[in-house]
């Protein structure tokens, strides 16, 4: 067995090495503190593996993303979102019958309890839909309180299905239109578009281009291993908090502009550049200026240091979808020009900053008629299967423990009151 050696205060310690199925090497420090009284310090956890996981593989250097071993490019080309959800959560591709049954359950659990509709009227019309989504998802636990693992299969279905209804209702609330109930005739993604855009007087005509684009966006967001929100879900779930509470915490973590909130910020940035006469250089310079707090939103990634494979797929899709729909979005041209200029600039090249998934996703959401403040909600709907898969994997892990990091205390030493 390979080991790593640590010398601390002249004393040598041997630490086991763990190797993942793609050859990733980890130094196992689980026995470190009890052996040495020392801990490791890794702010932002950039060098720490918090768990072993079989769900998603990323190689940021090579721009690789795979769900359960399948390359994202192949999945994006061939799968539907619910198929991907099944794959992520249960570990293998569903057979035709399994998928039909999974879809059937998602269809039949799409309504929210009528009483929950009253909650919506308590929020101000200006409420951010992420605030509503996280509060409503946490509230689901008051309707389905059992958190025993045997009951969770049904709660998983409820969560996947009802979060979509809640998201659409929060949009309807924000524009003062009546809620549209889900229809059992429609697929998962069609149903979402229907609940968002139909009005009682006129059902929304769902274009296949739109439905395909939505499927693609949700699939590309479906999992990304131990990112901030997924780690939050695992962290909260590790205390054995119920699935709704755990996922609601993940939704809140996603909301921040350095994570899922970035897609909204990208469109705001592109709009600002457009309104300022389209002067890209000025904004590239601003992003490089350490005295300004401006960053190129949708650029850079903690893990991808080559390119984000999802951004590549979405850039191509944005072109296709806009063309098929006969739409022209000046923000797409601004985004492409900004990308070109930034990628030629030493600052971005040296720091290996590339467009991430959020850089082009907003353009697609705009083309679909989804308002900017719903973008992060869309990300959350896409990420649900990933969060659920990680929550489930963690809860089923016989070696699972409550998350409880250590710290290096740097405050005052003892002093008298
Ligand atoms: N624009 C300008 N400079 C950027 C940048 C951006 N978008 N992203 C990173 N940098 C610079 C940092 O200033 C830093 O420069 P320095 O070494 O001279 O101090 C360097 O690149 C490394 O950045 P750092 O913040 O340490 O990287 P990180 O791994 O902690 O952060 C992100 C990753 C994604 C949070 C960061 O790149 C970012 O804020 N991007 C914009 C927000 C975004 O798109 N988020 C969505 C992620 S999917």
């Amino acid at each position: 067995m390979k080991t790593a050696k640590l010398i601390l205060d002249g004393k040598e310690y041997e630490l086991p090495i763990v190797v993942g199925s793609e050859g990733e090497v980890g130094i196992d420090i689980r026995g470190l503190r009890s052996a040495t009284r020392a801990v490791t310090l890794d702010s932002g956890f950039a060098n720490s593996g918090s768990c072993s996981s079989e769900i998603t593989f990323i190689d940021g250097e090579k721009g690789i993303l795979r769900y359960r071993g399948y390359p994202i490019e192949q999945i994006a080309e061939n799968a539907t979102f619910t198929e991907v959800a099944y794959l992520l959560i249960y570990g293998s591709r569903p057979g035709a019958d399994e998928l039909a049954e999974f879809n059937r359950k998602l269809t039949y659990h799409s309504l929210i309890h009528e009483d929950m509709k009253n909650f919506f009227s308590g929020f101000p019309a200006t409420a951010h839909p992420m605030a509503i989504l996280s509060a409503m998802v946490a509230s689901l636990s008051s309707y389905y309180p059992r958190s025993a693992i045997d009951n969770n299969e049904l709660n998983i279905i409820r969560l996947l299905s009802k979060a979509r209804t809640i998201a659409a209702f929060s949009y309807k609330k924000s524009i003062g239109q009546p809620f549209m109930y889900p229809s059992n005739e429609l697929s998962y993604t069609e149903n979402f578009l229907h609940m968002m855009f139909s009005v009682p007087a006129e059902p929304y005509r769902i274009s296949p281009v739109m439905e395909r684009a939505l499927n693609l966006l949700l699939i590309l967001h479906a999992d990304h291993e131990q990112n901030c929100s997924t780690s939050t879900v695992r962290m909260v779930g590790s205390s054995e908090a119920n699935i709704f509470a755990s996922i609601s915490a993940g939704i809140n973590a996603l909301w921040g502009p350095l994570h899922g909130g970035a897609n909204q910020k990208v469109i705001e940035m592109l709009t600002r550049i457009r309104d300022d006469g389209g002067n890209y250089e000025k904004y590239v310079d601003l992003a490089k200026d350490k005295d300004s707090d401006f960053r190129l939103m949708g650029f850079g990634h903690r893990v991808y240091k080559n390119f984000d494979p999802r951004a590549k797929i979405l850039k191509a899709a944005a072109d296709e979808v806009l063309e098929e729909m006969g739409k022209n979005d000046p923000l797409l041209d601004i985004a492409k020009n900004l990308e070109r200029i930034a990628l030629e600039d030493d600052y971005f090249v040296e720091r290996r900053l590339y467009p991430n998934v959020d850089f082009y996703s907003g353009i697609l959401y705009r083309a679909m008629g989804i308002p900017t403040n719903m973008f992060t909600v869309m990300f959350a709907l896409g990420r649900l299967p990933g969060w659920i898969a990680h929550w489930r994997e963690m809860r089923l892990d016989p070696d699972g423990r409550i998350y409880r990091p250590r710290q290096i205390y740097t405050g005052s030493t003892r002093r008298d009151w």
Side-chain angles (χ1 to χ4, degrees):
M1 193 174 78
K2 279 192 186 165
T3 55
K5 283 204 174 107
L6 171 77
I7 300 170
L8 187 66
D9 286 338
K11 207 172 156 201
E12 201 173 283
Y13 299 91
E14 258 187 289
L15 300 167
I17 297 279
V18 287
V19 183
S21 51
E22 291 285 347
E24 283 177 310
V25 173
I27 302 167
D28 182 347
I29 58 159
R30 277 176 286 190
L32 183 72
R33 191 168 183 285
S34 55
T36 64
R37 303 283 299 157
V39 297
T40 55
L41 181 60
D42 185 20
S43 44
F45 308 118
N47 306 282
S48 295
S50 61
C51 59
S52 308
S53 177
E54 297 179 359
I55 301 169
T56 288
F57 173 68
I58 300 176
D59 183 332
E61 303 298 321
K62 296 193 184 131
I64 292 174
L65 169 61
R66 295 185 201 132
Y67 297 161
R68 301 281 187 183
Y70 298 102
I72 192 66
E73 294 80 5
Q74 291 181 23
I75 296 176
E77 185 89 33
N78 298 299
T80 62
F81 176 62
T82 56
E83 212 173 355
V84 172
Y86 187 101
L87 170 74
L88 284 168
I89 297 169
Y90 299 111
S92 57
R93 282 180 62 187
D97 290 349
E98 284 163 326
L99 183 59
E101 177 58 9
F102 188 60
N103 282 333
R104 192 193 65 77
K105 285 193 208 149
L106 287 172
T107 298
Y108 283 93
H109 288 278
S110 56
L111 285 173
I112 55 171
H113 194 289
E114 279 294 291
D115 290 353
M116 275 190 98
K117 276 181 21 195
N118 298 328
F119 297 180
F120 286 95
S121 30
F123 290 103
T126 51
H128 196 288
M130 282 297 272
I132 300 182
L133 183 68
S134 69
M136 297 292 259
V137 165
S139 308
L140 285 173
S141 54
S142 60
Y143 291 88
Y144 311 105
R146 281 186 53 201
S147 64
I149 194 81
D150 58 352
N151 193 37
N152 271 314
E153 298 311 320
L154 189 51
N155 281 346
I156 285 171
I157 296 283
R158 287 177 176 136
L159 186 50
L160 276 172
S161 192
K162 294 178 199 301
R164 175 191 49 165
T165 309
I166 292 169
F169 280 20
S170 71
Y171 171 62
K172 287 295 197 192
K173 153 84 187 167
S174 75
I175 55 168
Q177 283 187 2
F179 300 136
M180 293 302 299
Y181 283 77
S183 154
N184 288 357
E185 304 299 309
L186 301 174
S187 73
Y188 187 91
T189 34
E190 285 172 335
N191 235 330
F192 178 71
L193 292 170
H194 154 72
M195 288 189 278
M196 285 284 290
F197 299 123
S198 288
V199 285
E202 193 177 351
Y204 173 73
R205 270 196 308 182
I206 300 160
S207 102
V209 182
M210 208 83 121
E211 206 234 334
R212 236 182 25 245
L214 179 58
N215 246 297
L216 180 68
L217 281 157
L218 296 179
I219 287 172
L220 294 182
H221 285 87
D223 193 40
H224 217 231
E225 50 116 308
Q226 311 309 322
N227 55 81
C228 175
S229 57
T230 303
S231 298
T232 301
V233 169
R234 280 188 177 257
M235 164 89 68
V236 174
S238 76
S239 73
E240 300 191 1
N242 69 65
I243 191 167
F244 303 111
S246 307
I247 302 290
S248 169
I251 293 170
N252 284 314
L254 184 76
W255 194 358
L258 297 190
H259 191 10
N263 51 17
Q264 174 170 346
K265 296 283 170 207
V266 171
I267 293 295
E268 287 166 6
M269 175 187 75
L270 295 175
T271 309
R272 182 173 156 193
I273 297 175
R274 183 198 59 194
D275 295 348
D276 198 15
N279 186 350
Y280 322 111
E281 279 89 355
K282 175 176 159 189
Y283 288 89
V284 170
D285 287 344
L286 202 59
K288 287 156 50 175
D289 180 359
K290 293 290 169 200
D291 291 331
S292 92
D293 58 2
F294 179 81
R295 285 189 163 200
L296 278 193
M297 297 315 288
F299 254 75
H301 199 274
R302 172 62 62 77
V303 177
Y304 294 118
K305 300 298 175 196
N306 181 324
F307 63 91
D308 181 338
R310 303 166 301 172
K312 243 186 180 177
I313 298 172
L314 283 182
K315 184 180 181 183
D319 268 331
E320 262 171 44
V321 168
L322 288 180
E323 200 188 310
E324 277 191 60
M325 291 168 63
K327 280 195 180 175
N328 182 14
D329 187 345
L331 296 195
L332 180 59
D333 299 329
I334 294 178
K336 284 188 188 165
N337 281 320
L338 198 62
E339 175 183 346
R340 184 176 46 76
I341 292 169
L343 293 184
E344 285 165 1
D345 191 293
D346 285 349
Y347 175 95
F348 291 88
V349 174
E350 277 161 20
R351 289 169 181 74
R352 302 163 83 191
L353 301 169
Y354 292 85
N356 59 48
V357 68
D358 295 314
F359 198 64
Y360 288 104
S361 60
I363 309 255
L364 275 161
Y365 288 134
R366 259 165 70 91
M368 298 166 84
I370 291 173
T372 320
N373 70 349
M374 280 290 287
F375 287 3
T376 315
V377 168
M378 300 307 296
F379 190 156
L381 292 184
R383 186 52 57 86
L384 270 178
W387 288 331
I388 293 170
H390 283 274
W391 185 89
R392 190 171 177 272
E393 184 180 65
M394 180 210 48
R395 289 296 297 271
L396 293 174
D397 178 0
D399 299 327
R401 304 174 74 189
I402 189 166
Y403 276 37
R404 200 326 185 166
R406 295 274 181 168
Q407 64 166 15
I408 301 294
Y409 175 69
T410 56
S412 293
T413 51
R414 184 189 186 281
R415 50 181 166 170
D416 290 322
W417 183 245

